Amino acid sequence: MLLIVVFLCIFGCNKKNAHEKEVENNQRRAVMNEWFLVAEKVANESKDPEALKIISQIRNSSFIAKPLGENLDFQAIDDIPKTPYRLAILPLLDSDTAYGDAWKEEIQKSALASFSPYSNNVGVIMLKGRKDFSQRMRGIIFLHEGKHMMITISGKLKDIENNDEKIALAINELEVFDFETRLMSKLGGEAYRNLIKKGIPVVMERFAKDGGMVFKRPWFPNELKEIFGAEMDLNKDYGSPHF
């Protein structure tokens, strides 16, 4: 009788754990699906060939992942595509702080999304389910990270990176923001282009004064909200030169 009771307890606990894991996996799938759909909508709206190529690459080569261990490793929760390059999409949940300090630090960062190369043929984009920006802005942010992925896949900065990692990083960011600016210009039209013109004297003034600048607070939040529907908290750091 005791053995039967113990068996039932173990079976019941395992079943509960399996259910909780599936609930968590479904939460990650929901975050990923929302991000992908808004990015796809932005790409289609802009008709930008590069944005459409990014969406196609992510659709064909991505899989959803969850944290594994304390060192920002991950494991797939769905099938991994058999493609030359694979992209792990890792939606972060508040409960992921339980995996360790590195994950806690990642969750506490202000960035809503980030891309990192993981190995020669695998990259990872971490996403958050927060709603600090409108859907349109989140679509742009996701495509921004997708552009980082495309540069990595191309391997065109590899030789530069081997000689000077900082220079390679600077060129990478320059290409990504050139793409993002073009995308936002297509979406925002004349209103956004006028806003960029308005911001140029501010950039020049800061450069003349400091020789460089760090963009932490949104610029022209009312105008951005009118153009892109961006719901932003002015007390947070976002770190994009478009704001």
Side-chain angles (χ1 to χ4, degrees):
M1 178 65 73
L2 179 60
L3 288 175
I4 294 175
V5 172
V6 171
F7 172 78
L8 289 174
C9 287
I10 293 174
F11 178 76
C13 289
N14 288 339
K15 191 173 181 180
K16 180 181 179 182
N17 290 338
H19 174 71
E20 289 175 350
K21 287 179 181 178
E22 188 57 25
V23 168
E24 182 184 283
N25 289 343
N26 285 336
Q27 288 177 320
R28 296 188 199 279
R29 292 184 185 108
V31 172
M32 159 56 183
N33 288 338
E34 182 182 3
W35 275 89
F36 182 81
L37 288 174
V38 297
E40 185 178 43
K41 184 177 180 180
V42 164
N44 289 333
E45 183 182 350
S46 70
K47 297 182 175 62
D48 184 87
E50 198 165 8
L52 293 168
K53 189 175 179 180
I54 290 169
I55 287 297
S56 178
Q57 178 67 37
I58 293 174
R59 181 188 293 112
N60 294 327
S61 67
S62 67
F63 62 95
I64 303 176
K66 68 177 183 179
L68 175 67
E70 300 180 359
N71 298 317
L72 298 184
D73 290 322
F74 53 86
Q75 65 182 41
I77 65 173
D78 291 321
D79 293 338
I80 299 175
K82 293 179 173 63
T83 51
Y85 185 88
R86 285 154 289 171
L87 177 70
I89 304 288
L90 203 164
L92 293 168
L93 307 177
D94 290 341
S95 58
D96 290 340
T97 55
Y99 285 97
D101 290 342
W103 290 102
K104 183 177 181 180
E105 182 179 337
E106 198 67 33
I107 290 168
Q108 289 176 343
K109 288 180 181 178
S110 59
L112 281 97
S114 62
F115 169 81
S116 301
Y118 186 75
S119 66
N120 288 335
N121 62 348
V122 178
V124 56
I125 291 181
M126 296 189 187
L127 300 173
K128 295 174 184 173
R130 300 195 335 248
K131 304 295 176 71
D132 301 88
F133 291 97
S134 68
Q135 288 189 351
R136 205 178 197 195
M137 286 304 301
R138 277 182 284 143
I140 292 169
I141 291 168
F142 194 38
L143 290 167
H144 171 112
E145 301 306 330
K147 176 60 178 176
H148 279 301
M149 172 195 66
M150 299 300 279
I151 292 172
T152 299
I153 292 173
S154 74
K156 60 183 177 181
L157 298 180
K158 200 67 180 174
D159 290 341
I160 300 174
E161 189 176 299
N162 291 336
N163 294 320
D164 194 322
E165 191 173 339
K166 289 183 178 179
I167 293 295
L169 178 62
I171 295 173
N172 190 315
E173 292 295 341
L174 182 63
E175 287 197 21
V176 170
F177 279 115
D178 179 63
F179 160 70
E180 184 181 328
T181 301
R182 186 177 72 247
L183 185 64
M184 294 179 75
S185 182
K186 287 182 177 181
L187 294 168
E190 192 65 27
Y192 179 70
R193 289 189 284 274
N194 288 337
L195 193 58
I196 289 292
K197 291 177 184 177
K198 185 178 177 181
I200 288 174
V202 181
V203 173
M204 299 301 294
E205 182 182 347
R206 289 192 184 184
F207 188 82
K209 181 180 179 181
D210 304 323
M213 62 217 85
V214 176
F215 302 88
K216 288 189 174 182
R217 294 288 185 265
W219 289 9
F220 315 120
N222 294 330
E223 292 93 332
L224 281 169
K225 183 176 180 179
E226 185 175 340
I227 298 170
F228 297 109
E231 300 288 348
M232 296 179 287
D233 183 349
L234 295 180
N235 294 314
K236 291 183 178 179
D237 293 347
Y238 292 103
S240 172
H242 298 301
F243 306 138

